[in-house]
Amino acid sequence: MEQGLLSLDVGAVDAEVINTIFRAAHSIKGGSGTFGFTAAASFTHVMETLLDEVRAGKRQATRPLVDLLLRSVDCLRGILTATRGGGDLNASVVDAIRGELEQALNGELAAPAAGQAPASDHGSGAGEGWHIDFRPHAHMMLTGNDPLRIIKALSDLGEVEARPDLAGLPSLADMEPENCYLAWTILLRGPIARVQVDETFDWVREDCDLAIAPIEPPAASPAAAGGGAAAVQTAEAAQGSAESPSGERRQVSERRVPAAPQETSIRVGIDKIDSLINMVGELVITQSMLNTLSDRFDAGMIDKLRSGLTQLARNTRELQEVVLKIRMLPISFSFNRFPRLVRDLSGKLGKRVELRISGEQTELDKTVLEKIGDPLVHLVRNALDHGIEMPEVRRASGKPEVGTIHLVACHEGGNVVIEISDDGAGLNPERVFRKALERGLVTAEDVLSDDQIAELIFLPGFSTAEQVSDLSGRGVGMDVVRRNIKELGGSIEVRSSLGKGSRFVIRLPLTLAILDGQLVSVGDQTYIIPLVSIVESLQVRKDCVNSVVGMTEVYRLRDQYIPIVRLHRVLDIAANRTELEDGLLVVVDADGQRVGILVDDLMGQQQVVIKSLESNFQRIDGISGATILGTGTVAMILDIPGIVALSRLKSAAPGAPRIVRAA
């Protein structure tokens, strides 16, 4: 229904599109009625009646009508989610949406006046204010959002009474300092439009449980107070409680609707299953051949044994490839959320924006797909809020009034590349540098190119309250976006042109389970450097080595100087070769900067299965995981940006040259 409504061409309705939307509503109503889900059935019946009039040509599909139907879809989604979870539902919000649908049927739906919120935003109780149950998820502050800043933003709208809920606080020994354990019940009093409240929480909706309901006036009717009417929860609402004028605590919900369980299954094409079955058959044949050799083995069968083992290796490799493909899903699962996001936010911001999507069938691992969603949302929101200009500004600069945001995904080597580009204002290098200077992130003596200045937006501390409306999301730092992408083994870079737009390029591994690695030795230890990070390897020439103020060693590689990182010093282990000219330099790319990693020797390349250290031990700086080699020994997988950061920390000293890079 949502996809159909988003593709509906206002004023020239495609009959097939409206029929598809109508059939979806009809199916939901019929299915709900069959199983006794009366709340869903009765609500959808009103939607179906309205859609039927549009289908019959009795009513025009205007923008306000489509907006109302989209809000109704959200409400219906919440009804179904709550029904599935067995939770109690708050009727007040759904009754307001149902009332708007009935008004539309009676011909009373009108577009809001300029600067005025839609009718639902002034729903029952708006004159009194709003009751808000705000429950941040534990990870909210890791995304760069601050719950207290949100509460402060609410206080700018009206009188705020916030009561903290301490029930989620763990013992001090179990507390993670970066997690959020508090929740708040907030009474926001005053004639405040619902849209203003919604906008305050726009950036954190996916990082919290949120319930927003009108504060009921003192003369509330019994039905409004909860007597008799079934309570319904919208998709955006979790439940809370409020205090009646008499001081008694009125229970809105006996229990919270549980969050939807994390998806633990995937849909796999039959062709992938057929390939898997075929490969297992090949493996069984090879095993049978080797078993035959073992029954009567003698020295003359060495060649047959080698041939069988070669066949086994080939079967195993092909089986591995087939199994990995089963976990692959098209990135459209992540991209599909953005048409609605762009439509809603552009409407609130008063901008005209066209979203283009390419390569949505590009496949990547399910785990990567689940974790890349939040960074993409932040980047698209920033493009909408701070990239695309207002229509009159675009018109004055000779641009079309309609801005464009382009999402592109494709395979490039062993990676998936995702680009988010816009034709908006782009980054202003002077402004970015000035604000970085104010924050102490650069010095006045630093000389940076425009590309290096653009990288400054990823520095921790760049996104602060002062910059919220200029360069970043509402408290969302771009350093958090980069960190989340780095945790997936990926990278992000930005290219921007003032007045022409910006382009963010994300590179991600196809899977988090296996990587191609280069084995290197340092002393008696073996480490693995991801091949995707390696540019080249070379023998060190002493005449190409220099030092900066006697501190940092650099190597002249053709037309540039690259820092040298002695791996044995960073990891505090003994090396077999301590002289530069005796070792090998592995040139790697660390967040856009080339660095030379000094190792004793190279030992070959192989695919390795990644084992997490954090789940069994703890996070180790400079180490992204471990693997078990064919010899049975454990080898650590190096986190190249982390190794470079550790090297900088160890070499930092008073008087050392300042190197500004996005960490």
Side-chain angles (χ1 to χ4, degrees), residues 44 48 60 93 111 127 143 147 180 225 308 358 404 414 467 512 577 588 624:
T44 315
E48 182 190 37
Q60 292 295 318
V93 178
T143 66
C180 182
S358 306
T404 301
Q467 279 84 33
L512 298 182
R577 304 176 182 179
V588 297
S624 61

Side-chain angles (χ1 to χ4, degrees), residues 401-467:
E401 288 189 5
V402 180
T404 301
I405 296 176
H406 199 178
L407 283 177
V408 183
C410 64
H411 285 131
E412 188 176 286
N415 295 317
V416 171
V417 177
I418 304 173
E419 292 188 8
I420 303 96
S421 60
D422 65 74
D423 64 348
L427 294 174
N428 186 322
E430 293 183 5
R431 191 176 190 183
V432 172
F433 187 85
R434 184 173 65 251
K435 297 202 173 200
L437 185 62
E438 292 172 1
R439 296 290 159 188
L441 301 174
V442 295
T443 66
E445 292 75 29
D446 289 323
V447 179
L448 304 176
S449 66
D450 285 352
D451 287 344
Q452 289 175 319
I453 291 175
E455 290 284 321
L456 293 176
I457 67 173
F458 294 110
L459 287 174
F462 188 84
S463 179
T464 66
E466 187 177 344
Q467 279 84 33

Side-chain angles (χ1 to χ4, degrees), residues 108-241:
E108 299 174 13
L109 180 69
Q116 186 181 12
S120 64
D121 297 326
H122 301 280
S124 173
E128 292 288 325
W130 301 95
H131 176 278
I132 304 167
D133 189 33
F134 176 38
R135 298 182 175 272
H137 295 164
H139 68 270
M140 174 179 281
M141 291 189 289
L142 293 176
T143 66
N145 290 294
D146 184 350
L148 296 183
R149 183 181 297 163
I150 294 171
I151 295 175
K152 183 180 183 300
L154 289 174
S155 69
D156 294 336
L157 301 178
E159 179 187 345
V160 166
E161 178 186 341
R163 297 193 297 270
D165 182 352
L166 310 181
L169 276 178
S171 65
L172 185 60
D174 296 330
M175 185 176 291
E176 291 290 339
E178 294 182 325
N179 284 357
C180 182
Y181 298 102
L182 298 181
W184 288 268
T185 298
I186 303 168
L187 297 180
L188 176 61
R189 302 185 187 279
I192 302 156
R194 170 64 184 266
V195 68
Q196 293 177 282
V197 184
D198 286 340
E199 286 177 347
T200 306
F201 291 96
D202 264 347
W203 297 98
V204 297
R205 286 191 180 277
E206 297 178 4
D207 302 314
C208 70
D209 293 326
L210 182 66
I212 303 174
I215 296 176
E216 296 180 3
S221 66
V232 183
Q233 173 190 338
T234 65
E236 64 189 8
Q239 303 306 315
S241 58

Side-chain angles (χ1 to χ4, degrees), residues 551 568-572 645-653:
M551 296 296 297
H568 70 279
R569 289 183 180 173
V570 175
L571 300 177
D572 290 327
L646 282 175
S647 175
R648 289 179 185 149
L649 286 175
K650 292 199 172 190
S651 63

